[in-house]
Amino acid sequence: MSEELRYFSILGTDINVTNMEKTVLYMKEHLEELRGHYVCVSNVHTTVTAYRDPEYRKIQNQAVLNIPDGKPLSIVQRQAGLRDAGRVPGPDLMPEIFKLSEKEGYRHYFYGSRPETLEALKKCLLERFPHLNIAGMYAPPFRPVTEEEDDAITRKINEARPDFIWVGLGAPKQEKWMAAHDGRVCGVMLGVGAGFDFHAGTIKRAPEWMQEWCMEWLFRIGQDPKRLLPRYLDTNFSFVFDLLKEGMKGKRNIDAVNKSRYGKGAISGGDNKDLRVPAGKKGRPLKIAMIGHKRIPSREGGVEIVVDELSTRMVELGCRVDAYNRYGRHTAGKRFDQRRGKYYHGIRLITIPTPKSSALNAIVYSFLATVRALFGGYDVIHFHAEGPCTMLPIPKIFGIRVVATIHGLDWQRSKWGNFASRVLKFGEKMAARHADELIVLSKNMQDYFREVYGRETHFIPNGINRPELKNADLIKEKYGLEKDGYLLFLARIVPEKGLHYLIEAFRKIDTDKKLVIAGGSSHSHEYMEKIRTMAAEDDRIIMTDFVHGQCLEELYSNAYLFVLPSDVEGMALGLLEAMSYGNCCVISDIEENTEVVGEHAVAFRKSDVEDLRKKLEELIQDPEHVKAYQSTSQDYICEKYNWDEVVAETLKLYQTLS
C-alpha cells in the first residue's frame, strides 16, 4: 500500500506534500475510496483566491486530495522543511493516469471546454493512447444550468460509468462544480483547468525550462495578455505579500488557526472557544461510529439531517467518522434513490444489508450495524433514536463508550403497532440505563427522563444554517405557485404530524391561497391514502410528494405561512428550516414546538381544528401581522440554534469519555 499523503497549509489551504509518482500510486490504490469525490489541482491563483474567499477555501479543503500544480507551492513546502515536497501539474498528471488506464482498463469522462476542443482532445488522446477508454465527453453551455439540466447531465455521466471525471472549467468554477457534485457521481473528479486545451493542441504549453524557473505564468500571459495579465499580476504579487504578512503574525497566522485534518484544530462558537478536538487511542484522531439513521446523504427525516450535519463538521475538524447506512429504498419512493459511494464529505459510508420487510428492516440493521461496529476500533459509538438503542448494551459489554441521542419519544407515534411500540420503549429504557452520555433535543424530554428514569440528560438542540432566499421560478413552472400565494406543510405524511387537522381547517376558509403539501409517507400508507382522498375534495390543495434541492428551497422562500400542526414531535428540523427562511409559522402548542419558536410564531391548541381555522383565517386577512413575524423569525432562529455549537457540545461529551 502507498503511504498516506500528508498536508501542509499554505495561506489556509491544505496542500498535499507529494510528487507525481506518489500521487499516481495513491490514486491507483485508493480509487474505490476516492470515487464520488473530487481532487483539486492547486496553484498560486487558486491559493490566493481561497485566502481571500472563505467559502472557496472551504471547498478546497474538503477535497479528498489537493495536489500542488504550481511550483511555488512546493517551494514553500520545502522551505518549511518538507524536503520530499514535489510538484504535480494537472496537465502532466493526465497522461500518467492515461498510461496507467491502458493497463487497468479505467474509463474516462471529460466535462468542460467547447465541443470543438473536446473533438480535438479525443483525436489527440487516441493517437497517443490508442487503448484509452473514453466513456464520454460533454461541453456544458456558457450559462447557469437549471436543476433539471444538471440532474440530466449527472445521470448521463453516471450512465457512462467513468472511473475518472476530468473537469476543465477553469478556477474557481470547476472546484465549485465538483463540490456541488460531491457524492453524486460514480467516478473521482479532477479539476485540470487548461489541461484540455494543452492536450488538444489548441493552446501551447510553456517550455520545460520556463516551468522549472516558475515562469510558466509569463508564457501564458504572452498567449492571452488581455485576460491573464491582470490576473497574474494580482495573484502572483499577492501570494508573496500575503505569505510575508501571515509570517509576521507568527502563531496567530491563518495557517496556525486553520482547522487541521488531523484533529489539531479548534472549534469556535458560543462559550466553546478553543475547544480542542479530542484525540482517540494512542493519540490518533478520534474515531466515531454513527448508528441509527436510514442513510446519508438524505432528507428522509430529521435524524438523517442531524447525522449528516454532525458527521460532516466532525470530519472537517479532524475526527474520523463512519456512518452506518441502512440498505433499502427511499421512503418517498424508488425515484428518489441515489447512488452513494464509500465516502461522502470525508465520512466513510458502511451500508448494512437488511431485509425488504419494513417490520424487520430497522431491528436487523441495528443488530448488524452494532456487531460490525465492535470490530471498528471506535472510541465512541453514537446511537441515534430509540429503536437502535435496543442494541446499546452490546458495545457496553465490550467496554466501548456509548453516546445516545433521543430525537423524540418514538413509541408515542401512531404509525407503530403494539409490538413495535414496546420495542421502542425498550430502546428508550436501554438508553436511559446504559448510555455513558444521553442527549435530548428539548427541555420537555429532559424533564421526562428525569421523572421516569431518574436519569440526567444533556440538552443539545439541533442547529440550522442561514439560507439564501430563492425566487419562485421552478415552483411557478411546476405548480403555478407565486410568492405569498400559498400555505406550506412540509414534513413526513404520518398521523402524528396532524396534517388532517390542517386540511379540515383549510377547507373551511374562504381564500384564493393554495395549500401545498410537500412530503412523502413513512410506513403510513393507509394514512397517505386518507390524505390523498381529503386533498382531492379541494382543488386549492396541491400535493407535491417528496421535494428536495431547488424546489424545496423555493417552497420555503415564498410561502405566506408555514404550518406544523403536529401532535407529537422531537425537535422539528422542518420548523427550524422554515423560520430560517423568514417564514411566519403556525404551530400546535405542544412544548416541543413552543420551546423552539418562543414568541416568534403563532400557536393554536393541539388537535383543535376550529382554533387552527381561526388562527389561519386571521393571518390570511392581516398581511401586516404576517410581515411582523416574518421580519424577526430568521434572525431569532439562526442566532438561537447553531450547528457549530451543537458539534462543540457533542464533542465535549466525547471528551469526557476518552
Side-chain angles (χ1 to χ4, degrees), residues 49-123:
T49 303
Y51 177 70
R52 296 170 176 174
D53 182 353
E55 285 302 312
Y56 183 56
R57 184 164 70 244
K58 183 178 179 181
I59 288 172
Q60 289 270 335
N61 286 337
Q62 286 181 340
V64 287
L65 290 175
N66 202 338
I67 55 181
D69 173 276
K71 187 166 184 181
L73 301 183
S74 58
I75 290 175
V76 171
Q77 290 178 332
R78 286 200 299 272
Q79 288 295 318
L82 302 168
R83 309 314 301 174
D84 57 337
R87 184 188 176 203
V88 188
D92 293 343
L93 176 64
M94 293 174 74
E96 293 298 323
I97 297 293
F98 297 153
K99 284 184 214 172
L100 179 66
S101 299
E102 288 194 300
K103 298 177 183 176
E104 301 292 337
Y106 296 141
R107 298 167 62 85
H108 297 266
Y109 199 98
F110 297 84
Y111 180 90
S113 197
R114 300 178 299 278
E116 56 270 25
T117 301
L118 292 181
E119 283 298 319
L121 176 64
K122 184 175 183 179
K123 180 181 178 182

Side-chain angles (χ1 to χ4, degrees), residues 129-187:
F129 307 100
H131 300 295
L132 186 67
N133 193 335
I134 298 177
M137 291 180 157
Y138 182 77
F142 288 95
R143 59 167 174 80
V145 297
T146 66
E147 184 178 3
E148 285 79 5
E149 287 175 324
D150 186 62
D151 287 342
I153 293 167
T154 304
R155 282 196 302 273
K156 184 177 180 180
I157 292 173
N158 287 332
E159 285 168 1
R161 297 180 292 105
D163 299 290
F164 292 88
I165 302 168
W166 302 94
V167 184
L169 299 175
K173 186 177 179 181
Q174 64 192 14
E175 286 78 27
K176 292 179 179 179
W177 186 89
M178 292 191 297
H181 292 78
D182 189 70
R184 295 178 57 194
V185 294
C186 58

Side-chain angles (χ1 to χ4, degrees), residues 369-390:
T370 302
V371 172
R372 167 65 176 79
L374 296 178
F375 304 95
Y378 300 109
D379 300 294
V380 179
I381 297 179
H382 193 151
F383 285 89
H384 292 265
E386 290 181 334
C389 285
T390 56

Side-chain angles (χ1 to χ4, degrees), residues 439-452:
I439 299 170
V440 295
L441 306 183
S442 71
K443 297 286 188 183
N444 188 41
M445 274 199 284
Q446 201 168 30
D447 294 338
Y448 170 82
F449 275 92
R450 186 181 295 117
E451 293 168 6
V452 175

Side-chain angles (χ1 to χ4, degrees), residues 230-366:
R231 186 179 100 172
Y232 282 129
L233 287 179
D234 175 26
T235 55
N236 285 11
F237 285 105
S238 292
F239 181 70
V240 177
F241 176 77
D242 292 335
L243 281 174
L244 292 172
K245 181 177 68 175
E246 291 295 327
M248 291 175 67
K249 291 180 182 178
K251 293 183 179 179
R252 298 179 60 191
N253 68 53
I254 191 171
D255 294 323
V257 300
N258 188 41
K259 291 174 182 176
S260 165
R261 295 168 185 261
Y262 299 105
K264 297 177 183 176
I267 308 165
S268 61
D271 297 324
N272 303 303
K273 293 178 181 178
D274 298 325
L275 172 65
R276 295 289 166 180
V277 178
K281 298 169 184 175
K282 298 182 180 178
R284 62 158 171 72
L286 190 75
K287 192 173 183 183
I288 306 148
M290 296 286 185
I291 296 176
H293 57 288
K294 291 183 179 69
R295 58 207 128 249
I296 61 169
S298 170
R299 289 188 57 90
E300 290 171 80
V303 177
E304 286 68 44
I305 296 171
V306 171
V307 171
D308 192 331
E309 294 284 355
L310 288 178
S311 300
T312 299
R313 284 169 168 77
M314 288 177 181
V315 166
E316 288 176 3
L317 290 167
C319 298
R320 295 174 60 187
V321 181
D322 290 355
Y324 284 77
N325 280 359
R326 190 186 312 181
Y327 177 80
R329 294 292 184 195
H330 195 288
T331 54
K334 181 179 178 180
R335 66 186 181 281
F336 295 107
D337 286 342
Q338 65 184 93
R339 180 187 175 93
R340 294 174 179 83
K342 292 186 177 181
Y343 282 83
Y344 159 70
H345 288 176
I347 307 159
R348 184 186 180 203
L349 303 180
I350 300 174
T351 300
I352 300 298
T354 53
K356 293 182 179 180
S357 166
S358 60
L360 296 174
N361 187 290
I363 194 71
V364 171
Y365 155 79
S366 300

Side-chain angles (χ1 to χ4, degrees), residues 7 54-55 65 120 140 198 222 229 242 300 327-328 390 446 454 470 534 545 562 625 630:
Y7 289 87
E55 285 302 312
L65 290 175
F198 291 148
L229 179 60
D242 292 335
E300 290 171 80
Y327 177 80
T390 56
Q446 201 168 30
K470 304 290 186 181
M534 293 177 70
D545 209 338
F562 176 87
H625 196 192
Q630 290 173 337

